[in-house]
């Protein structure tokens, strides 16, 4: 009796394997295939605007993690602060976005990019030019709906699967 069941189980298992082989894949082949993430993504890197920043340090005071360090000097001629160093330890940052919300001059944004893995802990500290916006480091729409509406529409994996099945 046991001998007869042995062969049937093997065939059933093979049927399941074959069924899956014929199905359309339901995953994307990252990093070759990339889906657009949601426009409402908060992001995980800060984007800083050197031009807009006044050195008020509101962001640093707001940060619950103490992840922002800002060094300023006084420009007595123009009666304003000069930002000498603006540094964020993204290893401590919890992406809460409070600094972005607190900035009174719209000089800070959350980033839309997400590939930030580094080999060394020290490489997670970003300062000055590393924090500026670039094509590789676009700002996210978090707290800035005017940016969100210009971002590409989110690609939904389910739409891709339905498209392939047609
Ligand atoms: S997102 Fe939050 S944790 Fe990160 S730097 Fe801003 S306030 Fe600090
Ligand atoms: S709150 Fe805004 S303007 Fe003030 S130091 Fe931070 S980034 Fe600059």
């Amino acid at each position: 009796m046991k001998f007869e069941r042995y062969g049937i189980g093997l065939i059933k298992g093979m049927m399941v394997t074959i069924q899956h082989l014929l199905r359309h894949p339901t995953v994307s082949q990252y990093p070759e295939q990339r889906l657009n993430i949601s426009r409402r993504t908060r992001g995980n890197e800060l984007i800083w605007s050197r031009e807009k920043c006044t050195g008020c340090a509101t962001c640093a005071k707001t940060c619950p993690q103490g992840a922002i360090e800002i060094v300023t000097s006084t420009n007595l001629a123009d009666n304003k602060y000069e930002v000498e160093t603006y540094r964020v330890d993204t290893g401590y940052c919890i992406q809460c976005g409070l600094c972005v919300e607190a900035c009174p001059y719209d000089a800070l944004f959350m980033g839309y990019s997400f590939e930030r893995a580094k080999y060394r802990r020290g490489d997670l500290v970003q300062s000055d030019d590393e924090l500026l916006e670039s094509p590789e480091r676009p700002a996210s729409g978090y707290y800035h709906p005017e940016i969100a509406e210009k971002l590409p529409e989110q690609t939904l994996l389910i739409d891709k699967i339905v498209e392939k099945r047609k």
Side-chain angles (χ1 to χ4, degrees):
M1 202 62 177
K2 276 187 179 174
F3 180 74
E4 286 172 14
R5 282 184 187 166
Y6 172 76
I8 291 168
L10 193 66
I11 292 166
K12 278 184 182 172
M14 289 304 292
M15 288 299 288
V16 172
T17 307
I18 291 165
Q19 274 175 6
H20 281 278
L21 276 176
L22 299 174
R23 277 188 189 162
H24 289 288
T26 52
V27 293
S28 62
Q29 300 297 317
Y30 182 85
E32 287 80 18
Q33 295 174 350
R34 289 160 186 258
L35 304 178
N36 294 332
I37 55 178
S38 167
R39 288 172 163 178
R40 292 186 296 169
T41 298
R42 181 173 297 193
N44 57 21
E45 286 190 328
L46 288 183
I47 308 292
W48 174 65
S49 167
R50 188 191 295 281
E51 290 74 34
K52 290 183 186 171
C53 181
T54 61
C56 69
T58 308
C59 52
K61 289 174 201 158
T62 307
C63 178
Q65 290 293 97
I68 301 176
E69 181 190 351
I70 178 164
V71 180
T72 56
S73 59
T74 315
N75 182 339
L76 291 175
D78 294 336
N79 195 25
K80 63 174 193 176
Y81 288 128
E82 295 288 347
V83 180
E84 291 184 355
T85 304
Y86 193 93
R87 188 176 292 134
V88 181
D89 190 335
T90 58
Y92 282 111
C93 174
I94 53 173
Q95 293 97 43
C96 65
L98 289 177
C99 53
V100 175
E101 294 177 27
C103 177
Y105 300 99
D106 281 347
L108 211 50
F109 308 84
M110 297 303 291
Y112 191 59
S113 54
F114 51 88
E115 290 158 316
R116 62 196 282 271
K118 302 277 189 286
Y119 283 107
R120 295 179 194 284
R121 178 73 180 72
D123 293 342
L124 291 171
V125 180
Q126 297 180 321
S127 56
D128 304 319
D129 288 353
E130 292 171 315
L131 289 162
L132 301 181
E133 186 169 20
S134 69
E136 293 76 39
R137 299 183 84 256
S140 90
Y142 177 74
Y143 202 64
H144 289 276
E146 74 286 359
I147 295 177
E149 65 190 25
K150 290 179 195 154
L151 291 171
E153 268 189 45
Q154 182 180 9
T155 327
L156 295 176
L157 197 51
I158 187 71
D159 289 342
K160 289 237 167 233
I161 294 164
V162 171
E163 203 176 286
K164 277 185 190 170
R165 284 182 181 162
K166 279 179 187 169

